Amino acid sequence: LGDIVINEIAWAGTSDDSNDEWIELYNPTSQEVDLSGWFIEDDVTTKYTIASGKIAAHGYFLIEDKEDSVKNLTANAIIGLSLANAGDSLVLKDSAGGTVDSANISGGAWYAGNATDKATMERVDPLVKVDSAANFGSAVSGNGATGINGGSILGTPAGANSVYAGSGPTVVMNGATASIGENVTVSVDAKDTVDLYGYGFEINYDPTVLSYVSATESSFLKADGNETSFS
C-alpha cells in the first residue's frame, strides 16, 4: 500500500478553465489496491476523500474537480478540488490515516508546473518516493487529453508522465550516411524494465531525403515527414 504515489497535479487547471483541476495517483505494484476511504490532506486543513474506488496494478487513478475537467477521460473519483497557485502541501493517507506519500510537503511554491500554459506538475520517477523538486518537473507534452472545451492539456492524465525518467533513450543519428537503396538498421534497447506491457518509438526524418515505402508487424506510420510511430 505504501507504494502508491501522487504522480501528477494539475494545480493550475487547464487552458480551457483554470478551475478544472485534477490529481493523478499511480500504482507501481503488481497488485490492485482498494482506495476506499483514502484521502489527500491539503495544507492539513482540507481533506479530499475517495469514497470508493480501486487502482489497478501499474494503473492510474484520476481525481477530477468535475467530470469534464478532463473531457475525454472518465474520472475515477470526482472531488471538489481547490489548489492554490501559490502552492499547497499535499499528503496522501490511507483509510487508517497512515501517510502513504506526499507532494510539495513544505507548502511553498509548487516544484513545477505553471499557470501560464497550464503545464502540470509531473513526478519524474514514480518508483522513487522522494518528495523534492528534483523528482518533479513541468509537463513537456500531452497525451491527447483535452479540457472541457476541447483544448489540449499540457499533461498526461491517466498515462505515463512526459518527464518520466524511465521513458527511454533518445537516439540522434546526425551525419549518418547511406547509399541509395541501402538498408539502415537502428536498434533501440529498453533497459531495466519491469512488467513491460507495451512499447513504442518514433523516427523523425527529413522527407526530402527519406520516403516511406512500407510497414509490417501491424505498425502504423504517418507519411507527412514529421513523425513515424510504431506500437
Side-chain angles (χ1 to χ4, degrees):
L1 300 181
D3 291 325
I4 308 300
V5 296
I6 300 173
N7 200 45
E8 187 172 7
I9 305 165
W11 56 262
T14 70
S15 59
D16 286 343
D17 193 326
S18 59
N19 292 316
D20 285 349
E21 300 168 339
W22 49 269
I23 298 173
E24 174 198 86
L25 306 180
Y26 176 66
N27 177 8
T29 77
S30 57
Q31 296 181 355
E32 180 183 71
V33 175
D34 189 349
L35 300 180
S36 300
W38 287 38
F39 58 95
I40 297 175
E41 277 188 350
D42 180 351
D43 284 343
V44 181
T45 58
T46 302
K47 292 171 68 173
Y48 305 128
T49 302
I50 300 170
S52 63
K54 297 179 179 179
I55 184 169
H58 307 291
Y60 302 89
F61 192 92
L62 190 59
I63 302 170
E64 298 182 33
D65 180 66
K66 56 180 179 291
E67 182 57 68
D68 285 338
S69 293
V70 183
K71 188 173 184 179
N72 58 343
L73 293 175
T74 301
N76 298 107
I78 300 174
I79 304 173
L81 302 175
S82 182
L83 304 175
N85 282 12
D88 282 344
S89 170
L90 300 182
V91 180
L92 175 65
K93 296 190 175 185
D94 61 26
S95 57
T99 296
V100 178
D101 189 38
S102 65
N104 208 59
I105 190 66
S106 67
W110 296 104
Y111 296 140
N114 67 72
T116 302
D117 57 12
K118 310 299 184 182
T120 64
M121 183 173 103
E122 295 183 328
R123 202 177 200 105
V124 172
D125 192 342
L127 301 181
V128 177
K129 297 208 58 169
V130 175
D131 180 2
S132 70
N135 200 29
F136 286 89
S138 299
V140 295
S141 62
N143 63 354
T146 60
I148 191 171
N149 297 322
S152 296
I153 288 177
L154 184 50
T156 54
N161 290 343
S162 62
V163 299
Y164 174 40
S167 60
T170 297
V171 181
V172 180
M173 296 182 63
N174 292 330
T177 59
S179 301
I180 293 177
E182 181 181 352
N183 292 327
V184 177
T185 300
V186 179
S187 298
V188 180
D189 295 327
K191 298 180 178 179
D192 302 320
T193 60
V194 177
D195 295 331
L196 181 67
Y197 62 89
Y199 72 93
F201 63 90
E202 297 178 346
I203 300 174
N204 296 288
Y205 63 94
D206 183 349
T208 65
V209 177
L210 301 178
S211 60
Y212 162 67
V213 176
S214 63
T216 58
E217 300 294 334
S218 300
S219 55
F220 61 92
L221 302 177
K222 293 180 181 178
D224 57 5
N226 294 322
E227 181 175 281
T228 304
S229 301
F230 303 75
S231 64

